[in-house]
Amino acid sequence: EKSGYDYFMLKEIAEQPHAVAETLLGRLNEQGDLLLDEVRLTDQDLRDVDKVFIVACGTAYHAGMVAKYAIEHWTRIPCEVELASEFRYRDPVLDRSTLVVAISQSGETMDTLMALRHAKEQKARVLAICNTNGSTIPRESDAVLYTHAGPEIAVASTKAFLTQLVACYLVGLHLAQVRGIKYADEVGAVVAQLQEMPQKVEQVLAMMEPIRKLARELADAKSVLFIGRHVSYPVALEGALKLKELAYMHAEGFAAGELKHGPIALIDEGTPVVCVVPSPRGRGVLHDKVVSNIQEVRARGARTIVIAEDGDTAVEPYADHLFHVPVTPTLLAPLVTTVPLQVLACEIASARGHDVDQPRNLAKSVTVE
Ligand code: F6R
């Protein structure tokens, strides 16, 4: 079953290029229009949307955080992301022109399901992004986009996360297309960039040996911090979550710019800080800001573990360990930058002697609130 891998998690990490490719397959019709799987909404309903809420838990919530950047950029519709367990207790403002996007690998997560039901009571339209055909969340939604990750066995989500990102990008592009706004013209170009991602994920996977070596060195660390900005911020959160759940270590993700507002006090001689650096092309300001954040933590003794784009030489002087990922458009970068963090967490947990596939206290599908 594990096809020669020690853990399902390693097998599922390795399956990511295929999972991403499958999720992209057959999404365009002959006219180049993006298609959702099940749509009980009209295009007019989607044109009327004036607000998007994304609700999800855990890793799926991190996918939603990335989606917010893409959806707002491409559609110019305000988009908020909220933990499903918080959403309905807050009395959120929803009506017929709100689109609620519920993201769930299992389709059975009770917190997400209850958020969805609350949204429907308020007459909002609900679109599900889900990996499990016919599960409760897609059944109760007005529209569905399935991720084609295949069954995910390991408790920690990996390939489902990457496919959730792909599905979120597709939803953003579909909304832009249906609404005919400025970015609708770019849809074809972004779809072409997405088509290149399976190969880029494959390239990252081929370069994981140094990450495994580093993982063995970090197995005794007291705490590991993760920093990122823009779409790399949720990637930092996801890296920290993986390490907590698998290695039972203290790990925290921060928005890089927030460090100086408090968390930088945590940094001590030798504290490992994983820094996810945005591309130096395009949004150069973002890149330069993160590089100065890396300098700041290093000046306080941090051991910096830097994930940066191929050819990014500006980070070299400040990286104790440097790992490159292929050149990728900024919004799509989480598809490659997340992978080394998954491998890092898996290998640290394994070095500490934990059962990577069945971490203590956790279940694959959380069907209680
Ligand atoms: C983390 C993890 C969980 C799930 C969360 C939501 O590795 O797997 O955080 O992402 O419980 O589960 P789904 O996506 O099934 O709703």
Side-chain angles (χ1 to χ4, degrees):
E1 284 257 345
K2 293 180 199 158
S3 323
Y5 292 93
D6 288 344
Y7 302 108
F8 280 109
M9 185 176 175
L10 287 172
K11 174 172 177 263
E12 289 164 5
I13 287 172
E15 285 170 351
Q16 293 183 115
H18 181 69
V20 168
E22 285 290 311
T23 302
L24 285 166
L25 205 69
R27 294 299 188 193
L28 295 180
N29 69 10
E30 281 165 16
Q31 287 75 46
D33 300 323
L34 283 158
L35 304 172
L36 302 176
D37 292 316
E38 292 169 20
V39 194
R40 297 170 277 266
L41 294 173
T42 63
D43 281 0
Q44 189 56 47
D45 291 331
L46 293 178
R47 277 192 281 275
D48 288 341
V49 169
D50 62 11
K51 168 110 203 202
V52 178
F53 265 114
I54 302 176
V55 294
C57 306
T59 290
Y61 171 70
H62 298 151
M65 286 180 76
V66 173
K68 173 186 164 82
Y69 293 90
I71 290 176
E72 288 196 340
H73 182 69
W74 290 330
T75 69
R76 310 310 299 154
I77 311 170
C79 174
E80 281 185 47
V81 196
E82 194 156 355
L83 291 169
S85 55
E86 288 292 320
F87 180 73
R88 77 185 176 119
Y89 297 104
R90 190 175 59 74
D91 196 12
V93 181
L94 305 165
D95 59 32
R96 310 186 67 79
S97 49
T98 312
L99 180 69
V100 172
V101 179
I103 309 175
S104 174
Q105 188 284 129
S106 61
E108 300 296 346
T109 300
M110 190 55 76
D111 286 318
T112 309
L113 179 61
M114 297 314 270
L116 177 167
R117 286 183 181 158
H118 181 75
K120 287 186 75 174
E121 277 163 21
Q122 314 293 310
K123 307 280 181 264
R125 319 288 184 166
V126 181
L127 185 153
I129 291 177
C130 185
N131 196 45
T132 313
N133 269 56
S135 55
T136 312
I137 288 172
R139 273 208 322 269
E140 295 198 13
S141 299
D142 301 308
V144 187
L145 186 63
Y146 282 107
T147 50
H148 296 160
E152 197 178 56
I153 311 280
V155 164
S157 190
T158 54
K159 61 176 180 169
F161 177 68
L162 260 61
T163 61
Q164 283 161 354
L165 292 176
V166 170
C168 287
Y169 296 133
L170 294 176
V171 166
L173 294 170
H174 182 72
L175 281 175
Q177 205 166 40
V178 168
R179 298 161 65 88
I181 58 121
K182 182 170 130 228
Y183 284 95
D185 300 342
E186 285 182 30
V187 169
V190 182
V191 170
Q193 291 165 344
L194 278 168
Q195 307 283 8
E196 291 174 13
M197 294 313 297
Q199 199 205 335
K200 292 185 184 192
V201 177
E202 199 73 68
Q203 282 170 267
V204 179
L205 288 170
M207 302 188 306
M208 286 300 97
E209 200 41 50
I211 290 272
R212 291 193 189 97
K213 182 169 170 286
L214 173 66
R216 292 190 285 273
E217 291 176 29
L218 295 183
D220 295 323
K222 279 207 295 289
S223 159
V224 181
L225 307 182
F226 294 74
I227 62 171
R229 254 177 209 263
H230 191 258
V231 291
S232 303
Y233 169 41
V235 171
L237 295 178
E238 175 62 7
L241 176 61
K242 287 278 122 32
L243 200 53
K244 284 179 236 192
E245 66 178 333
L246 299 173
Y248 320 150
M249 272 162 98
H250 175 249
E252 261 191 277
F254 300 106
E258 235 349 73
L259 278 181
K260 58 184 175 299
H261 299 290
I264 200 161
L266 288 168
I267 293 174
D268 204 349
E269 201 55 43
T271 304
V273 181
V274 179
C275 315
V276 189
V277 185
S279 166
R281 301 159 307 108
R283 285 159 230 227
V285 186
L286 207 62
H287 170 269
D288 298 352
K289 289 259 160 65
V290 176
V291 175
S292 50
N293 297 137
I294 300 174
Q295 282 174 259
E296 285 155 19
V297 296
R298 201 151 182 270
R300 278 134 188 116
R303 175 177 185 179
T304 56
I305 298 149
V306 177
I307 315 283
E309 191 173 277
D310 272 336
D312 181 353
T313 48
V315 293
E316 277 167 18
Y318 316 111
D320 294 307
H321 307 269
L322 180 56
F323 302 98
H324 285 296
V325 290
V327 173
T328 303
T330 301
L331 284 169
L332 308 187
L335 288 168
V336 287
T337 52
T338 306
V339 176
L341 308 190
Q342 297 168 338
V343 174
L344 187 70
C346 184
E347 296 290 340
I348 292 179
S350 156
R352 286 163 71 97
H354 300 318
D355 180 347
V356 170
D357 288 334
Q358 291 289 343
R360 69 185 181 198
N361 309 342
L362 294 174
K364 183 66 187 161
S365 172
V366 185
T367 53
V368 291
E369 256 195 283

